[in-house]
Amino acid sequence: EIVLTQSPTTMAASPGEKVTITCRASSSVSYMHWFQQKSGTSPKPWIYDTSKLASGVPDRFSGSGSGTSYSLTISSMEAEDAATYYCLQRSSYPPTFGGGTKLELK
Amino acid sequence: EVQLVESGGGLVQPGRSLKLSCAASGFTYSNYVMAWVRQAPTKGLEWVASISTGGGNTYYRDSVKGRFTISRDNAKNTLYLQIDSLRSEDTATYYCAKDNPYYGYNYWGQGVMVTVSS
């Protein structure tokens, strides 16, 4: 099973600040998906195929990476971005999620 | 509009069984792989099981093999998860999710809570 390790586990960012969340895989994967989850709600697809934004996702978000290292970046933090973000790999069975990164507004 | 509506959760004693359902609408259900993903209280997401379009192929995480059974009824547009021999570690919100080869899981239900406690 491929283990995904996200860092940081929690963080706080000020409005306008650049944010980077990292997801490291225990073995190489072909692509990474990202989900956003706000408290009490279902996860939403956010970034798919490593770098493609899901419908409705603001373009201040971006995704990048390859092999065992992937990242989600927010170019300028906004209040609505406060949430928990999860990475997901499906290159290898079973599908596995990262442990999540809780992003708070400072 | 795609909708996935789970039901069947509740408080159950350890060792008992429960069957979750997920009613799907707004898309051609029989054309899509479906999955269950769970989230223990204050914890992260965990894939549980997936089922092929026709139901002939099923996949499970190791920790639930032999206790969980995923199934589907394409005539009723409904996905199921039979959970037997419930354990305290099965306590979680269970989400039904529509599989998408590009997005991973592009639609999720609202989730149904399963609490295993005596």
Side-chain angles (χ1 to χ4, degrees):
Chain A
E1 172 176 318
I2 293 179
V3 176
L4 300 182
T5 303
Q6 287 186 234
S7 60
T9 306
T10 61
M11 69 176 297
S14 301
E17 185 177 347
K18 183 178 180 180
V19 172
T20 298
I21 297 170
T22 299
C23 179
R24 289 199 165 80
S26 58
S27 298
S28 182
V29 298
S30 302
Y31 50 82
M32 194 67 70
H33 305 302
W34 293 88
F35 295 83
Q36 182 197 67
Q37 186 180 34
K38 295 193 175 182
S39 182
T41 68
S42 307
K44 294 180 181 177
W46 212 247
I47 294 175
Y48 65 100
D49 262 4
T50 301
S51 60
K52 299 171 185 171
L53 302 185
S55 177
V57 174
D59 61 7
R60 62 181 176 273
F61 284 86
S62 63
S64 64
S66 64
T68 61
S69 184
Y70 292 81
S71 62
L72 176 156
T73 299
I74 307 172
S75 59
S76 178
M77 174 75 180
E78 294 197 11
E80 65 178 11
D81 301 336
T84 300
Y85 294 87
Y86 294 93
C87 54
L88 163 71
Q89 72 78 26
R90 300 208 315 172
S91 296
S92 169
Y93 242 80
T96 50
F97 289 90
T101 294
K102 185 174 183 179
L103 173 61
E104 299 174 325
L105 183 67
K106 194 183 295 180
Chain B
E1 178 194 4
V2 172
Q3 282 199 310
L4 298 170
V5 179
E6 300 97 336
S7 60
L11 173 62
V12 189
Q13 292 179 328
R16 302 297 290 266
S17 298
L18 200 62
K19 188 169 187 176
L20 307 182
S21 299
C22 170
S25 61
F27 65 103
T28 306
Y29 175 73
S30 59
N31 286 355
Y32 291 90
V33 173
M34 297 295 293
W36 289 97
V37 177
R38 69 183 178 184
Q39 186 170 35
T42 72
K43 300 297 184 183
L45 301 168
E46 182 176 80
W47 170 81
V48 173
S50 293
I51 187 167
S52 61
T53 55
N57 294 301
T58 56
Y59 310 87
Y60 302 91
R61 67 179 303 103
D62 285 348
S63 61
V64 308
K65 282 180 184 175
R67 297 191 302 120
F68 287 25
T69 304
I70 187 172
S71 62
R72 66 191 296 163
D73 185 333
N74 286 345
K76 294 182 177 179
N77 288 356
T78 303
L79 177 72
Y80 302 100
L81 186 67
Q82 174 72 39
I83 309 175
D84 297 324
S85 303
L86 275 156
R87 304 170 180 171
S88 58
E89 55 263 37
D90 297 322
T91 294
T93 296
Y94 285 75
Y95 295 101
C96 161
K98 175 178 170 287
D99 191 293
N100 180 286
Y102 303 106
Y103 282 76
Y105 307 108
N106 61 339
Y107 289 96
W108 298 62
Q110 84 286 356
V112 61
M113 185 68 198
V114 173
T115 303
V116 183
S117 175
S118 54

